[in-house]
Amino acid sequence: MRQTSTVRPGPESAQRIEEPGAPIAFRNVSHNFIHGKRAVLVLEEFDLEIGASEFVSIVGPSGCGKTTALSMAGGLERPRHGRVLLDGRPCDGTSDDVAFMFARDALLPWRRVRRNVELGMEVRRVPAAERRRRADEWLRRVRLEEFADSDVLHLSQGMRQRVAIARTLVQSPRVVLMDEPFAALDAQTRANQQQEFARLWEAERPTVVFVTHDLEEAILLSDRVVLMAARPGRIVADLRIDLPRPRTQEMRTQSPDFAGYLETLSGRLREEVAAAEERRQAEGERA
Ligand SMILES: Nc1ncnc2c1ncn2[C@@H]1O[C@H](COP(=O)(O)OP(=O)(O)OP(=O)(O)O)[C@@H](O)[C@H]1O
Ligand SMILES: [Mg+2]
């Protein structure tokens, strides 16, 4: 087993700009969390560059550090060592250019649909008329214009998720960070949301970092799928997905390339899960 170690903060917090190019760059990132008296190494030598308008998925065993990495890109967590850069600047706080979307849609039940879509714009003090115009435009794009004045509690799960998509994209973020955004949906709704999101993404092309446990979802949506290993979390495979766009659900069953990508990724993931299990057992025996 690798030794867990405490990693001290480096000089990376300085506000200098370096090598702008990739909108998001992780450079030699290591990170630990303190559990009781122990420092547990979560990420080690984590290096990843994501280009403008790229759609990159991160997959890997539970607990390998996917959410931690995403939080760093969003400026919610600072790496103890190494750098996480947004346009060449350290991500040390939230940015107007970056939007988040999570598994739970986090809609506010006391606000009507349109007011939920307007929320982020309100925080940024966009004037009311402009907010309304943009919210209505996005409700049209997610085909919910008739529900602008509805109570969110009356919507189906899929409709709620479309409101959440509208609320995320209405601010024209350059970067969208998504943590298992469709995990709470049933299979059919999930497939619909994947298509819906892919369609909207293709029109706007923000840079997307998408965390998922679903390999097929990752392949279907992404330009690249990055596979992480656990303890400490690091990248062990980076696969370019060369399927034509627009992607369709039929590709899952009809594209030999899709099948090839799935076989490669699921094989590697199985190896990583087995290796993690072996390490856990070895640690248990030693304890
Ligand atoms: N705030 C925190 N304090 C202490 N430990 C944490 C904290 N956040 C995460 N961890 C630990 O760091 C490791 C990585 O967590 P993280 O949530 O990034 O994994 P993940 O890959 O997103 O997992 P999952 O697939 O289950 O969502 C886990 O062992 C977790 O227990
Ligand atoms: Mg997670």
Side-chain angles (χ1 to χ4, degrees), residues 77-151:
E77 188 88 59
R78 269 199 211 182
R80 300 220 198 263
H81 182 83
R83 297 184 177 88
V84 183
L85 306 169
L86 182 65
D87 293 327
R89 288 190 179 81
C91 311
D92 332 346
T94 52
S95 157
D96 282 0
D97 287 332
V98 179
F100 289 90
M101 199 172 151
F102 304 105
R104 284 190 301 115
D105 56 42
L107 299 184
L108 301 179
W110 57 87
R111 285 181 162 233
R112 307 259 158 175
V113 167
R114 182 192 291 111
R115 297 285 317 284
N116 264 284
V117 177
E118 288 183 17
L119 189 67
M121 291 187 283
E122 262 177 59
V123 173
R124 287 173 200 176
R125 297 172 191 273
V126 175
E130 171 72 3
R131 276 200 319 257
R132 186 178 170 119
R133 188 189 63 72
R134 282 165 61 181
D136 284 349
E137 160 66 13
W138 271 91
L139 284 170
R140 192 184 56 70
R141 290 203 211 179
V142 297
R143 296 190 275 262
L144 285 175
E145 62 270 49
E146 285 166 39
F147 297 88
D149 295 308
S150 299
D151 203 324

Side-chain angles (χ1 to χ4, degrees), residues 63 65-68 179-180 211 213:
K66 302 180 294 295
T67 296
T68 305
D179 199 355
E180 305 189 44
V211 168
H213 278 279

Side-chain angles (χ1 to χ4, degrees), residues 35-79:
H35 285 254
K37 289 186 180 162
R38 243 162 42 100
V40 177
L41 193 55
V42 174
L43 297 177
E44 190 177 53
E45 294 173 9
F46 186 91
D47 274 296
L48 177 64
E49 294 219 350
I50 297 174
S53 296
E54 245 189 328
F55 196 127
V56 175
S57 285
I58 302 180
V59 298
S62 188
C64 71
K66 302 180 294 295
T67 296
T68 305
L70 205 66
S71 304
M72 287 177 179
L76 303 175
E77 188 88 59
R78 269 199 211 182

Side-chain angles (χ1 to χ4, degrees), residues 1-251:
M1 187 198 112
R2 272 168 200 263
Q3 207 65 36
T4 53
S5 60
T6 308
V7 197
R8 274 186 286 282
E12 62 280 359
S13 44
Q15 268 296 334
R16 61 205 161 92
I17 302 177
E18 54 174 76
E19 308 157 50
I24 302 176
F26 292 79
R27 300 263 162 80
N28 195 21
V29 167
S30 298
H31 195 69
N32 58 37
F33 285 115
I34 310 297
H35 285 254
K37 289 186 180 162
R38 243 162 42 100
V40 177
L41 193 55
V42 174
L43 297 177
E44 190 177 53
E45 294 173 9
F46 186 91
D47 274 296
L48 177 64
E49 294 219 350
I50 297 174
S53 296
E54 245 189 328
F55 196 127
V56 175
S57 285
I58 302 180
V59 298
S62 188
C64 71
K66 302 180 294 295
T67 296
T68 305
L70 205 66
S71 304
M72 287 177 179
L76 303 175
E77 188 88 59
R78 269 199 211 182
R80 300 220 198 263
H81 182 83
R83 297 184 177 88
V84 183
L85 306 169
L86 182 65
D87 293 327
R89 288 190 179 81
C91 311
D92 332 346
T94 52
S95 157
D96 282 0
D97 287 332
V98 179
F100 289 90
M101 199 172 151
F102 304 105
R104 284 190 301 115
D105 56 42
L107 299 184
L108 301 179
W110 57 87
R111 285 181 162 233
R112 307 259 158 175
V113 167
R114 182 192 291 111
R115 297 285 317 284
N116 264 284
V117 177
E118 288 183 17
L119 189 67
M121 291 187 283
E122 262 177 59
V123 173
R124 287 173 200 176
R125 297 172 191 273
V126 175
E130 171 72 3
R131 276 200 319 257
R132 186 178 170 119
R133 188 189 63 72
R134 282 165 61 181
D136 284 349
E137 160 66 13
W138 271 91
L139 284 170
R140 192 184 56 70
R141 290 203 211 179
V142 297
R143 296 190 275 262
L144 285 175
E145 62 270 49
E146 285 166 39
F147 297 88
D149 295 308
S150 299
D151 203 324
V152 291
L153 295 173
H154 296 152
L155 303 183
S156 69
Q157 200 53 47
M159 290 159 88
R160 289 178 64 109
Q161 206 63 19
R162 272 147 60 202
V163 178
I165 291 175
R167 188 175 64 182
T168 305
L169 296 181
V170 72
Q171 304 182 65
S172 304
R174 287 195 309 114
V175 172
V176 184
L177 305 175
M178 305 176 81
D179 199 355
E180 305 189 44
F182 307 136
L185 305 176
D186 65 81
Q188 188 54 52
T189 311
R190 186 170 188 151
N192 292 341
Q193 295 307 302
Q194 289 163 356
Q195 287 308 122
E196 186 87 10
F197 187 75
R199 177 178 70 80
L200 296 166
W201 175 77
E202 275 165 33
E204 303 275 313
R205 294 257 173 173
T207 304
V208 175
V209 189
F210 189 96
V211 168
T212 180
H213 278 279
D214 181 337
L215 297 182
E216 293 196 21
E217 176 174 87
I219 296 165
L220 200 65
L221 292 172
S222 309
D223 298 314
R224 271 163 74 198
V225 179
V226 170
L227 174 68
M228 285 179 69
R231 311 200 52 199
R234 65 208 183 282
I235 292 171
V236 291
D238 188 338
L239 189 66
R240 184 156 292 286
I241 308 295
D242 275 325
L243 297 170
R245 291 189 187 273
R247 310 266 171 91
T248 61
Q249 294 290 328
E250 287 68 44
M251 287 177 175

